[in-house]
Amino acid sequence: MAVDTSPRSTTWTHVDGEWLPGNPPLIGPTSHAMWLGSTVFDGARWFDGIAPDLDLHCQRINRSALAMGLKPVKSAEEIVALAWEGVGKFDGATAIYIKPMYWGEHGSPGSIVSVDAASTRFALCLFEAPMGRHGGSSLTVSPYRRPSPETAMTEAKTGSLYPNSGRMIAEARSRGFDNALVRDLNGNVVETASSNVFMVRDGVVMTPAANRTFLAGITRARVIGLLRKAGFDVVEATLAVEDFLAADEIFTTGNYSKVVGVTRLDDRDFQEGPVTRKALELYMDWAHGRSESEE
């Protein structure tokens, strides 16, 4: 039986100058992206009539393309304008995921493995995706690690990094957890399998220092700035699993759900604490324009 390739929610994709509904067939079996992984993407959110930091996400996709050896064919401003055009195709009842993408169609002359930048293609896909839960998640320390910049393209938001995240989540869920706390090759905590991570101890907010092994996210930076502006001491540091187990609170940040409290790390239970709630409140107030802009 053929696999149903239709999307699981209302979806519109802009490619080659037109908007197409559903899941258009864009990558073929000879496409470089199909068999050699030359894909990059980014993800922004639209909800409640707003798209927080959309411009920064559209700037980052072009940086990721360059890191992959692709050639950006749209300016960040053009992608932003297209995103708002696409938002208008939805009924506004459900939050939307905004996903710009680049990929390579051909290999370079003389080396099929290396992508030909001149063959770069672009698409912008928008689909309905309700905002994630904020009721808390559980984590377990993953046996798998994040690669270093010498071993993988860690400075791009590339699809080739996500199978590693996928196996981390699958392994964690096989043991009854929602997600995984992930370390780098030196054993330091860097993030979860799908988001950045923070801890709070004695009123001090701490998050793993950006060491190029993980994507130090746009929402992460926004939350750091908002917390500092609100008077919190926020420290980026080298952190171990033991630090998180000794924390008073743990929370995660990411584009998909913004701020989510952690209620369990392996055998340690946590309550969603006041700093976690404040971080979400600050972010949503800023996103809705209810507080002074934090740059």
Side-chain angles (χ1 to χ4, degrees):
M1 177 182 290
V3 175
D4 181 4
T5 62
S6 58
R8 294 179 176 177
S9 65
T10 301
T11 302
W12 285 92
T13 299
H14 187 276
V15 63
D16 297 334
E18 62 178 332
W19 286 100
L20 302 173
N23 185 28
L26 300 180
I27 298 178
T30 67
S31 298
H32 191 274
M34 176 74 169
W35 65 313
L36 293 173
S38 55
T39 67
V40 295
F41 73 99
D42 217 288
R45 277 294 215 169
W46 176 93
F47 59 94
D48 298 342
I50 57 176
D53 283 328
L54 175 60
D55 57 337
L56 300 185
H57 288 281
C58 294
Q59 292 165 23
R60 188 172 65 182
I61 182 63
N62 282 356
R63 294 196 301 272
S64 291
L66 292 170
M68 177 61 74
L70 299 167
K71 179 182 178 181
V73 297
K74 297 283 186 185
S75 69
E77 293 77 14
E78 288 173 320
I79 301 171
V80 168
L82 278 174
W84 282 109
E85 183 179 316
V87 166
K89 293 184 171 295
F90 294 80
D91 63 14
T94 304
I96 299 169
Y97 193 85
I98 301 171
K99 182 176 62 173
M101 297 173 285
Y102 287 110
W103 70 96
E105 189 61 34
H106 301 297
S108 295
S111 175
I112 199 169
V113 173
S114 179
V115 68
D116 182 359
S119 73
T120 300
R121 297 189 68 193
F122 170 81
L124 175 63
C125 179
L126 285 74
F127 59 90
E128 289 183 341
M131 294 293 287
R133 64 182 182 180
H134 295 105
S137 66
S138 59
L139 299 177
T140 182
V141 177
S142 179
Y144 305 121
R145 303 289 181 97
R146 279 287 182 229
S148 68
E150 296 83 6
T151 60
M153 198 169 294
T154 57
E155 293 178 306
K157 192 170 176 67
T158 168
S160 61
L161 292 175
Y162 279 78
N164 193 36
S165 295
R167 69 171 182 164
M168 291 171 180
I169 292 173
E171 193 277 336
R173 290 186 174 179
S174 75
R175 295 192 282 115
F177 295 88
D178 298 317
N179 207 324
L181 191 68
V182 181
R183 296 164 290 174
D184 62 17
L185 295 179
N186 293 321
N188 301 311
V189 171
V190 287
E191 61 176 351
T192 77
S194 60
S195 55
N196 294 131
V197 67
F198 290 72
M199 56 168 278
V200 183
R201 186 168 62 206
D202 298 329
V204 178
V205 183
M206 290 177 276
T207 192
N211 63 3
R212 299 176 60 216
T213 68
F214 69 100
L215 196 67
I218 291 168
T219 305
R220 170 186 180 272
R222 182 63 67 187
V223 168
I224 288 174
L226 291 169
L227 284 171
R228 284 175 174 165
K229 187 177 181 182
F232 288 89
D233 187 7
V234 184
V235 178
E236 297 180 74
T238 300
L239 298 170
V241 171
E242 291 74 18
D243 293 315
F244 281 84
L245 287 170
D248 301 319
E249 300 177 46
I250 300 175
F251 64 90
T252 64
T253 64
N255 174 62
Y256 210 86
S257 301
K258 303 309 179 186
V259 179
V260 177
V262 172
T263 56
R264 180 184 173 200
L265 172 58
D266 283 329
D267 294 330
R268 170 84 195 279
D269 291 328
F270 294 85
Q271 297 293 322
E272 184 178 78
V275 180
T276 301
R277 292 191 294 271
K278 187 64 175 179
L280 178 58
E281 176 189 337
L282 288 168
Y283 181 88
M284 288 302 180
D285 281 349
W286 166 80
H288 288 91
R290 294 192 292 260
S291 62
E292 183 180 346
S293 178
E294 170 71 22
E295 298 298 338

